[in-house]
Each structure stands twice: as structure tokens, then as C-alpha cells.
Amino acid sequence: MTCIFRHNKQKAKKEHKCSWCGEQIEIGETYYYQAGTYYGDFQVTKLHEDCDAACSEASYKYGMEDYEPYSYKRGTTEER
């Protein structure tokens, strides 16, 4: 069971690693930040804008509720 506490779009003040593709989110780049619990464990997710769209697509199209971090190509649902 997932419970999202916060999901917003923001500009990076420092570098982060995208949870979807594993590539760098650069300073000044807009990204999505999500914080919540996943089966009782607190989790933070940071995604490029295009990776957030791919993640949403995977959830909608394929009913995918979770994924292995860093296992997709940037902005796509194609596995590495």
C-alpha cells in the first residue's frame, strides 16, 4: 500500500540522481519530488520530468505499481 505525502515539481538546487533512469538531475533542472510510504517504509523519489511521464505511462498502460530503480532508459518505458 502506498501513501503519498508530497508530490511536487521543483528546480534542483543541487545534483540528484533520477530514480527512474539513474542519470543525473542537474542544478537548475526541473524535476518531480515525491515523498511517502510504500508498504510502511518511507521513500523519496526524484524524477526528471520526462521520466515522471514515462513512469505515469507505465502505471496507466501496464498497471505497474512499482519498479526497480535505475532500470529504464531516460524518459521511456524501455528497460536498460
Side-chain angles (χ1 to χ4, degrees), residues 55-66:
C55 183
S56 294
E57 176 187 346
S59 177
Y60 178 75
K61 268 186 162 177
Y62 311 116
M64 193 169 85
E65 292 184 22
D66 59 357

Side-chain angles (χ1 to χ4, degrees), residues 7-79:
H7 183 226
N8 63 325
K9 188 173 164 179
Q10 56 194 52
K11 277 200 188 265
K13 294 179 183 167
K14 64 178 188 175
E15 293 179 339
H16 300 283
K17 190 173 187 177
C18 178
S19 299
W20 185 257
C21 69
E23 292 182 20
Q24 202 73 7
I25 297 171
E26 301 295 335
I27 295 170
E29 189 174 1
T30 302
Y31 71 100
Y32 280 93
Y33 173 92
Q34 181 174 300
T37 58
Y38 181 71
Y39 289 99
D41 294 323
F42 183 75
Q43 180 175 316
V44 171
T45 303
K46 297 172 184 175
L47 302 164
H48 293 106
E49 288 186 277
D50 51 347
C51 290
D52 183 66
C55 183
S56 294
E57 176 187 346
S59 177
Y60 178 75
K61 268 186 162 177
Y62 311 116
M64 193 169 85
E65 292 184 22
D66 59 357
Y67 60 91
E68 186 66 35
Y70 322 129
S71 57
Y72 294 91
K73 292 182 181 179
R74 183 172 176 172
T76 72
T77 56
E78 185 182 343
E79 292 186 26

